[in-house]
Amino acid sequence: MNILVINAGSSSLKYQLLDPSTGELLAKGLCERIGLDGKFTYKPQVAGKAGKNAVDVAMPTHSEAIQTVLNALVDKDNGVLSSMSEIDAVGHRVVHGGESFASSVLLTDEVLKAIEECNPLAPLHNPANLIGIRACAAVLGDKVPQVAVFDTAFHQTMPPVAYTYAIPYEYYENDKVRRYGFHGTSHRFVSARAAAMLGKPIEELKIITCHLGNGSSIAAVKNGKCVDTTMGLTPLAGLPMGTRAGDMDAGVMEFLMNKYNLSMSEMMNILNKKSGVLGISGVSSDFRDLDAAAAEGNVRARLAIDVFCYDVKKYIGSYAAAMGGVDAIVFTAGVGENSPELRTAMTEGLSYMGVAPLNQEANHKRGEEVDISGEGSPVKVLVIPTNEELMIAMDTAEIVEKL
Ligand code: ADP
């Protein structure tokens, strides 16, 4: 089965074509600057096929972008399919499913309407996801089923005690203001892989999944269900990130807005784009740059890394408390998968709760699922590369196979 996975943004569209039964990736790439000067990247994963890197293609709307992707996939020289009929279904990443979606769903007119109703919760993302869905339907026709996979869905099992904000309750009742959480597809994928690695049913495990990339979040997964997560109504909450502030006293906003006469949108721009480890260090949002700067003695780069690691450790402790223990801690995404130094710092001093010092030889392995726990560690520490596209393709296949 060939599933086309689409992640549509307002002016970009990432795609992968894969077979969820084998996990085989046939091609991937992206369309950028849609509506502007259109750039197209195509990376076939089949030997002997040539790719394209940010070549100029006119893409006034997402429909032309999808058409460009399809043309590349069936191109007679460098395509990976012989015709469009070999695409069995399309899986879309949708950012916000609000309280309406606790799992992936087949896209129908009704579902599209319900996603649209979630737009106010993610005004930058959901409308772009919908444009991608409609563009696919326009180009592929309604014979090719489409499925929506939500970033928020996995977190819908959180109990009210974890998702309720301590503000007047009518804002929840009337406006649905509550914790939702994001990166759900990744947390679900790596927690399932962790159970497989440990050889135990996920229903018997307490797992803390740390998705640490440009955007970062942690989830507490008890018996296969998410019971808490760090992101909130929006992805601005929780850990400090590359450029996002994460949790802080909301009073900081009033203080700075008054003092510097900032508008709300200027303030939000600071919190989303100029804060996090970039804001603390003044160097970069990329942990590789921070490592290099810290090694040269840059004190603020060191502080940014330390604040990040301290917060991750704090959440690990609080989620162990929330679940009444922990069997495994999982590290994933750009930082989680690639930085042995940060993994060490984030798990240091946790012996009291059963996390022995890491096995440094395993901790320095790259690019694979690996158990990095120290010998005899009651709590396992695992590195698991995430694969949100594969999870989206697997959900899509499962849903369309039942049609
Ligand atoms: P996104 O959240 O955009 O999907 P990723 O999960 O790909 O991002 O994570 C990207 C981040 O991973 C980079 O900004 C960088 O900070 C970090 N990263 C990648 N490789 C390394 C590495 N070798 N050491 C430390 N950090 C790394």
Side-chain angles (χ1 to χ4, degrees):
M1 194 178 238
N2 296 315
I3 308 287
L4 180 61
V5 174
I6 299 286
N7 181 354
S10 54
S11 67
S12 71
L13 184 149
K14 293 188 196 135
Y15 65 92
Q16 286 197 5
L17 181 73
L18 32 81
D19 178 349
S21 60
T22 59
E24 189 196 358
L25 177 64
L26 296 166
K28 64 177 178 177
L30 78 161
C31 305
E32 294 168 285
R33 303 182 60 81
I34 299 169
L36 301 166
D37 56 349
K39 301 274 178 206
F40 178 62
T41 297
Y42 171 63
K43 296 180 180 171
Q45 306 291 301
V46 175
K49 305 284 181 184
K52 292 185 163 143
N53 192 13
V55 296
D56 290 318
V57 178
M59 296 186 263
T61 71
H62 284 67
S63 292
E64 289 83 10
I66 300 276
Q67 191 63 61
T68 305
V69 172
L70 295 172
N71 290 347
L73 294 175
V74 301
D75 181 79
K76 70 176 177 15
D77 296 323
N78 293 309
V80 293
L81 299 174
S82 42
S83 84
M84 282 207 305
S85 63
E86 290 177 22
I87 297 175
D88 297 290
V90 183
H92 291 269
R93 174 187 182 213
V94 178
V95 167
H96 219 307
E99 290 188 326
S100 304
F101 299 101
S103 58
S104 305
V105 284
L106 184 71
L107 280 158
T108 60
D109 288 344
E110 228 176 18
V111 168
L112 281 172
K113 220 172 130 236
I115 296 175
E116 225 164 59
E117 281 164 13
C118 299
N119 281 1
L121 295 170
L124 295 180
H125 295 99
N126 269 29
N129 299 151
L130 284 164
I131 288 171
I133 293 167
R134 294 201 165 103
C136 269
V139 175
L140 282 164
D142 51 14
K143 286 214 182 70
V144 181
Q146 301 200 66
V147 165
V149 179
F150 300 90
D151 262 26
T152 49
F154 183 58
H155 304 302
Q156 276 296 300
T157 47
M158 279 189 291
V161 73
Y163 71 66
T164 305
Y165 288 139
I167 56 175
Y169 197 67
E170 59 262 30
Y171 294 125
Y172 170 59
E173 289 179 312
N174 300 337
D175 307 300
K176 300 271 178 249
V177 173
R178 50 160 280 182
R179 180 188 306 281
Y180 288 96
F182 298 87
H183 293 142
T185 311
S186 176
H187 290 293
R188 181 157 63 102
F189 180 80
V190 299
S191 56
R193 289 302 312 149
M197 277 176 81
L198 298 174
K200 288 194 181 148
I202 197 164
E203 293 76 18
E204 293 172 14
L205 290 168
K206 294 166 182 162
I207 305 172
I208 297 173
T209 49
C210 307
H211 177 111
L212 311 176
N214 248 326
S216 295
S217 69
I218 302 186
V221 184
K222 188 177 185 181
N223 307 335
K225 292 189 166 34
C226 175
V227 293
D228 206 347
T229 191
T230 55
M231 283 180 168
L233 173 77
T234 74
L236 184 53
L239 298 167
M241 310 182 205
T243 63
R244 291 184 211 137
D247 286 347
M248 55 159 213
D249 175 359
V252 169
M253 294 178 70
E254 188 199 24
F255 179 87
L256 291 178
M257 287 169 80
N258 281 341
K259 178 145 191 200
Y260 295 105
N261 198 21
L262 300 171
S263 68
M264 182 54 89
S265 74
E266 286 168 329
M267 186 73 240
M268 294 313 289
N269 190 49
I270 291 170
L271 295 178
N272 275 304
K273 305 264 171 71
K274 298 186 173 163
S275 297
V277 292
L278 169 68
I280 298 174
S281 67
V283 171
S284 172
S285 62
D286 192 306
F287 281 83
R288 286 162 292 197
D289 300 336
L290 295 177
D291 279 343
E296 282 169 12
N298 185 309
V299 174
R300 276 170 54 190
R302 179 79 262 155
L303 179 64
I305 296 171
D306 289 349
V307 168
F308 181 75
C309 293
Y310 176 74
D311 269 22
V312 170
K313 192 190 283 189
K314 230 165 53 169
Y315 275 114
I316 289 174
S318 66
Y319 285 171
M323 291 193 289
V326 53
D327 298 301
I329 299 166
V330 179
F331 289 108
T332 193
V335 182
E337 289 168 31
N338 293 306
S339 179
E341 293 78 19
L342 265 67
R343 289 193 294 257
T344 302
M346 293 181 292
T347 52
E348 229 159 36
L350 296 183
S351 299
Y352 74 92
M353 56 177 267
V355 185
L358 300 181
N359 169 344
Q360 287 301 344
E361 197 189 324
N363 187 31
H364 281 78
K365 286 189 183 155
R366 270 282 163 88
E368 52 184 302
E369 291 184 349
V370 51
D371 181 340
I372 61 171
S373 333
E375 209 187 317
S377 185
V379 178
K380 299 294 171 207
V381 183
L382 310 172
V383 177
I384 303 183
T386 193
N387 195 337
E388 289 161 280
E389 290 80 11
L390 177 58
M391 186 89 256
I392 292 172
M394 284 160 67
D395 274 14
T396 303
E398 196 185 322
I399 287 172
V400 304
E401 269 161 6
K402 288 188 197 135
L403 291 178

